[in-house]
Amino acid sequence: MPCTPALGRYGIWRSCDASTPSTAALLDELGFAALWIGGSPAPDLRLIEQALDASEHLVIATGVVTISSAPPAQLADAYKRVVGRYPDRLLLGIGTGGLPFAALKPYIDELLAGDVPREHLVVGALNPRAIQLAGACTAGAHPYLVTPEHTRRARGWVGTGSLLAPEQRVVLGVERSDFAAAVESVRHPYLSFPSSRRILEYLGYAGELDDGGSERLMTDLIVSGGDEVIAGRLEEHITAGADHVAVQVIERPGHALDDDYRTLAGLLGLGVR
């Protein structure tokens, strides 16, 4: 029986339009366990295959392929092609992409029928029903743009023994101008998404979502500051029940993102391979 790929404690989340084979090679060298390629990578999974080709140990996860743009048979065929070469290093994350929740279970069923094992499948999910479904039918859940409190509650929803791998946005350094730029990346468009608004209201942010979101909300969604602050926030997710944290480092003006990855690897105590 297939096993869920070993993600380790920390990985990096990066959008598909900014992910390159060289990114995968660097993260592999720095000791990160996984690269989550988000922004709905193409269902042919060529980008994922290129990242696997460029690295030796890194698990590549999709975070997520949206089911509205990926026929399940095509995605299953691409999965089998890639996993035939890399049997232990591919994790297939899917999400509704705006489709109704009711579309998710039939899609999962088609993937499972197409020989995608549940151990290699996760769901990008925020609300209790979707996370419960992820725990019941797949390896687990990959919540995006959440807080440690969401992680604590999601552990109960997904169930003991299921994978929980939240994404956390990080701004390295203490410059307020850098944090302000990161805030804008959250305000538009995420605070307009009904699913995001519902879960944030549920978590206690009702009345703080309009006009760009409150300062409290933004500092809870995005961590910035010194090494101890950032490492502490990531550890909060682990303590709250996460198995793995997918860290999205927000690019700062005048700073190379690759250098920020090196800094993050150092403060997390990762070993260069």
Side-chain angles (χ1 to χ4, degrees):
M1 178 181 294
C3 295
T4 301
L7 295 176
R9 181 168 281 199
Y10 300 115
I12 293 294
W13 191 102
R14 188 158 174 164
S15 66
C16 57
D17 58 2
S19 295
T20 64
S22 62
T23 301
L26 174 63
L27 297 177
D28 193 32
E29 177 187 342
L30 292 175
F32 288 99
L35 168 60
W36 294 79
I37 297 181
S40 194
D44 63 12
L45 302 183
R46 294 293 181 189
L47 180 59
I48 281 68
E49 193 168 21
Q50 291 168 4
L52 289 164
D53 287 341
S55 55
E56 295 184 26
H57 310 282
L58 205 64
V59 171
I60 307 297
T62 58
V64 294
V65 175
T66 55
I67 66 176
S68 57
S69 62
Q74 180 187 8
L75 187 58
D77 286 346
Y79 161 84
K80 286 181 283 190
R81 184 193 77 245
V82 177
V83 84
R85 299 183 60 209
Y86 300 104
D88 303 316
R89 294 175 54 206
L90 172 61
L91 185 63
L92 192 60
I94 62 169
T96 58
L99 290 182
F101 170 77
L104 188 56
K105 178 61 163 59
Y107 192 95
I108 292 172
D109 289 342
E110 290 197 53
L111 288 181
L112 296 176
D115 295 326
V116 178
R118 62 174 289 164
E119 294 83 2
H120 286 192
L121 186 62
V122 296
V123 177
L126 286 174
N127 65 61
R129 281 199 306 163
I131 292 178
Q132 288 165 0
L133 177 66
C137 299
T138 74
H142 171 53
Y144 182 85
L145 193 62
V146 293
T147 65
E149 175 59 21
H150 181 277
T151 295
R152 185 185 69 79
R153 300 190 190 201
R155 173 46 68 193
W157 301 332
V158 77
T160 303
S162 293
L163 176 70
L164 183 58
E167 176 265 358
Q168 172 67 62
R169 292 192 176 211
V170 166
V171 179
L172 296 179
V174 297
E175 294 296 329
R176 294 302 299 175
S177 59
D178 294 336
F179 182 76
V183 164
E184 290 307 310
S185 72
V186 170
R187 283 175 171 160
H188 308 288
Y190 294 106
L191 291 189
S192 65
F193 288 178
S195 57
S196 294
R197 292 180 68 88
R198 284 194 298 269
I199 197 64
L200 290 171
E201 288 171 355
Y202 176 80
L203 291 173
Y205 298 99
E208 299 183 51
L209 304 179
D210 296 326
D211 301 321
S214 69
E215 183 174 351
R216 180 176 82 100
L217 172 61
M218 291 302 134
T219 55
D220 286 352
L221 291 174
I222 308 166
V223 60
S224 67
D227 292 0
E228 291 185 2
V229 173
I230 290 172
R233 172 68 65 84
L234 301 182
E235 183 64 29
E236 280 187 66
H237 282 284
I238 300 296
T239 302
D243 302 290
H244 171 89
V245 183
V247 183
Q248 182 174 180
V249 180
I250 305 302
E251 189 167 7
R252 300 177 290 163
H255 296 265
L257 199 51
D258 285 355
D259 289 340
D260 279 351
Y261 290 147
R262 293 184 179 94
T263 298
L264 181 63
L267 74 89
L268 294 176
L270 303 182
V272 176
R273 294 188 179 102

